[in-house]
């Protein structure tokens, strides 16, 4: 049903370790629901003792990671009760309150985040950010020892607070002038990379589709971003930081002077290329081994210390765990806050997050929402595009170029930095040794999901590149055939591929785009009819509408190629019967419309196609279905489908009428 449109990645709500449900399951807390702890902890938020309030906040930070506990916390108005503690007299309470709210937003999803904004969490949050910013300035005039102590506390609080800036809070972010504050935090990336990463997450979110904010970026503000993006440090934390800042700079492309655009694009893609070049599986293995060795050494040291002290001595840590002693063992509580505190795990997560983010940025670089994708391609492929690029700056009186003007530089930079090759490599299944190591460790288990997500993002990215770049930029016809074989091998090497919905949607989207490109360039396809039908039979039973649309489209693309070849009658009959059944029985009109569109493509031309259509009685089946389809659009359309979908369905309805008329002439000619 027309051109396949690549999904554009919006910045997700900040969640450094990915899926909190996976974390909860790994910790054995999933499924627990008890209002008792929630009520008790919320009550203690008003306790006169700062230590008790801190303890209650830390307990809530753990509790919100249990998804079944979220409704109870919402009923008890946890957000309104935690909010004021962001301005508590105790810095420790502020930090733990911000951490609890951060976990709540990360684990609760967009609905919880929207509710937090509705309940005015931004008022105390913005006040806290401003106070922290002022505190940093005053601390710089303090004595050295006091400065270090207070600055660390303030920056920790700011780090927790930064993670509350959700996309629904963008307007408040603009109104309150928070940009100057967060850039001040970002400028400290060399001394506090954790805070800088939190700021970078926030900036990447608030700079997306936010023209009002873009006008606030001055030359010094851009210099802060540039400094962070070009940092020479190569640790995993800094790789993540530079990737996030690169995404922010891409969002700011509209305000970058024309003379600097090519340089900026190259800087962005250089970072993304370097991120994708790292073998994440090997890094995960190395980090897991490093953690094992560290814990082993720590255990040996502890054993030596215990032997030296004797069994009659009580260790400090043990005393801190005894409630009636009145001590709070903050390490116990903060080990439950996100992100994890173990250095090796943090580094592994940072790299995986950076690679996922890099792939999402590349997808967004390949997309254009306004104007349409067709206009993007029309401009970038036309002879006038170079002239347009030269004239835009002067016509605007020295103002900034349209994003459309970036396409030529993006194409070139993609090739120069071997972006297609590196994305191709990321589409492979995650390193099996790394997956096995992570699967056997409760704290590392969530990384398996992140590695699988990277593979899916790479497949979506591949779809974008195949749709956007010329065949020559992709390596030519032979490279496309190799890629098709690779995708087929990925798909059919997994006997239960239909169960992995995210993977199936991603790989079917990539295959659809690739086969369409190959068909348009008359490059021979490599999937066998048996493989094709195996994919389509499995995919059409998926609950995911996107998967069903993709497999139907793949069938239409392949069938239209086979229709022009000799000896394909039986295969075309199989394809035709399959598409007819989908068109008449699938509950989604979008899928049914795609199946009809595929039928039009397969049986539009060719002697074998004409013979096949008569033998499967295509004309009578479509005549019978035509009024049914028309009625379904009228009855179901407005309530269930978007205006764009309805427009496409109306076109299919019109094309169905024309195709029926064409089939009448075909059948009359072949049967007389």
């Amino acid at each position: 049903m027309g051109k396949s449109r690549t999904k554009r990645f919006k910045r997700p709500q900040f969640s450094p370790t990915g899926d909190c449900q996976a974390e909860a399951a790994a910790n054995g807390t999933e499924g627990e629901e008890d209002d008792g702890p929630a009520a008790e902890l919320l009550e203690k938020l008003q306790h006169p003792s700062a230590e008790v309030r801190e303890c209650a906040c830390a307990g809530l930070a753990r509790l919100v990671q249990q998804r079944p506990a979220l409704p109870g916390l919402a009923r008890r108005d946890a957000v309104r009760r935690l909010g004021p503690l962001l301005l508590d007299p105790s810095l420790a309470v502020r930090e733990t309150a911000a951490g609890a709210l951060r976990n709540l937003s990360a684990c609760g999803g967009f609905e919880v985040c929207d509710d937090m904004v509705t309940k005015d969490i931004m008022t105390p949050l913005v006040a806290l950010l401003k106070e922290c910013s002022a505190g940093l300035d005053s601390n710089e005039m303090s004595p050295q020892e006091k400065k270090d102590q207070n600055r660390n506390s303030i920056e920790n609080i700011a780090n927790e607070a930064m993670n509350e800036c959700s996309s629904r809070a963008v307007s408040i972010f603009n109104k309150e002038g928070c940009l100057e504050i967060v850039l001040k935090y970002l400028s400290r990336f060399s001394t506090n990379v954790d805070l800088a990463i939190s700021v970078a997450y926030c900036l990447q979110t608030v700079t997306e589709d936010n023209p009002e904010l873009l006008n606030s970026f001055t030359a010094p503000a851009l210099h802060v971003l540039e400094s962070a993006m070009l940092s020479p440090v190569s640790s995993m934390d800094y790789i993540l930081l530079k990737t996030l800042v690169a995404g922010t700079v891409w969002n700011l492309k509209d305000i970058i002077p024309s003379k600097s655009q090519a340089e900026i694009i190259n800087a962005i893609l250089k970072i993304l290329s370097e991120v994708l070049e790292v073998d994440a599986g090997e890094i995960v293995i190395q980090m897991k081994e490093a953690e094992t060795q560290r814990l082993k050494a720590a255990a040996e040291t502890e054993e030596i210390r215990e032997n030296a002290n004797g069994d009659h001595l009580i260790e400090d840590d043990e005393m801190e765990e005894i409630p009636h002693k009145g001590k709070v063992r903050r390490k116990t509580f903060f080990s439950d806050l996100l992100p994890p505190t173990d250095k090796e795990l943090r580094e592994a997560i940072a790299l995986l997050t950076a690679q996922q983010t890099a792939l999402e940025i590349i997808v967004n670089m390949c997309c254009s929402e306004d104007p349409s994708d067709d206009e993007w391609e029309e401009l970038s492929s036309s002879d006038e595009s170079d002239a347009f690029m030269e004239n835009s700056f002067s016509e605007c009186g020295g103002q900034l170029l349209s994003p459309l003007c970036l396409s030529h530089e993006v194409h070139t930079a993609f090739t120069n930095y071997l972006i297609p090759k590196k994305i191709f490599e990321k589409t492979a299944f995650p390193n099996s040794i790394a997956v096995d190591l992570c699967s056997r460790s409760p704290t590392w288990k969530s990384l398996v999901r992140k590695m699988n997500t990277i593979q899916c993002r790479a497949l979506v990215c591949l779809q974008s590149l195949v749709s956007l770049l010329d065949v020559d930029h992709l390596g030519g016809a032979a490279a496309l055939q190799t890629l098709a074989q690779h995708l087929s091998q990925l798909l059919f090497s997994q006997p239960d591929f239909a169960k992995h919905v995210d993977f199936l949607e991603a790989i079917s989207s990539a295959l659809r785009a690739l086969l369409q490109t190959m068909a348009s360039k008359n490059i021979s396809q490599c999937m066998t009819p048996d493989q094709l039908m195996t994919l389509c039979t499995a995919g059409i039973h998926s609950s995911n509408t996107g998967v069903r649309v993709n497999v139907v489209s793949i069938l239409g693309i392949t069938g239209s190629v086979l229709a022009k070849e000799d000896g394909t009658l039986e295969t075309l009959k199989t394809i035709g019967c399959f598409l007819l059944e989908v068109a008449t029985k699938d509950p989604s009109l979008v899928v049914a419309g795609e199946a009809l569109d595929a039928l039009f493509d397969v049986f539009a031309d060719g002697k074998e196609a004409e013979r096949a259509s008569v033998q499967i009685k295509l004309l009578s089946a479509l005549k019978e279905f035509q009024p049914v389809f028309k009625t379904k659009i009228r009855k179901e359309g407005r309530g269930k489908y978007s205006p764009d979908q309805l427009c496409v369905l109306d076109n299919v309805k019109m094309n169905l009428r024309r195709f029926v008329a064409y089939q009448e002439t075909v059948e009359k000619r072949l049967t007389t």
Side-chain angles (χ1 to χ4, degrees), residues 429-564:
F429 285 109
N431 185 306
S432 58
I433 298 175
V435 169
D436 183 58
L437 284 172
C438 293
S439 299
R440 290 190 274 113
S441 171
T443 55
W444 287 65
K445 194 171 183 179
S446 63
L447 269 62
V448 176
R449 183 182 178 93
K450 293 186 78 69
M451 287 186 279
N452 287 329
T453 298
I454 287 172
Q455 182 194 25
C456 290
R457 292 291 190 271
L459 288 166
V460 174
C461 210
L462 190 64
Q463 174 203 352
S464 300
L465 293 184
V466 167
S467 302
L468 179 68
L469 299 182
D470 294 333
V471 172
D472 290 341
H473 282 123
L474 295 168
L480 292 187
Q481 288 180 320
T482 300
L483 180 56
Q485 291 170 352
H486 167 69
L487 294 180
S488 298
Q489 184 178 7
L490 279 180
L491 185 64
F492 297 111
S493 65
Q494 300 295 306
D496 58 346
F497 66 83
K499 297 179 182 178
H500 305 290
V501 178
D502 291 343
F503 169 73
L504 184 54
E505 182 179 17
I507 197 168
S508 61
S509 296
L511 270 170
R512 176 183 180 179
L514 179 60
L515 294 177
Q516 181 65 64
T517 297
M518 294 174 72
S520 67
K521 302 298 181 182
N522 294 319
I523 300 171
S524 59
Q525 316 260 330
C526 65
M527 288 183 69
T528 67
D530 286 344
Q531 286 180 325
L532 183 70
M533 295 313 301
T534 298
L535 167 61
C536 294
T537 302
I540 206 62
H541 293 105
S542 172
S543 60
N544 185 296
T545 302
V547 170
R548 304 205 304 277
V549 166
N550 284 337
V551 298
V552 164
S553 178
I554 287 171
L555 207 54
I557 294 165
T558 305
S560 65
V561 173
L562 294 174
K564 299 177 179 62

Side-chain angles (χ1 to χ4, degrees), residues 1-21:
M1 276 170 36
K3 180 181 171 185
S4 168
R5 191 178 183 90
T6 304
K7 76 166 68 172
R8 191 168 187 267
F9 288 103
K10 292 286 187 179
R11 286 294 91 218
Q13 185 62 33
F14 175 65
S15 178
T17 62
D19 185 8
C20 275
Q21 286 176 268

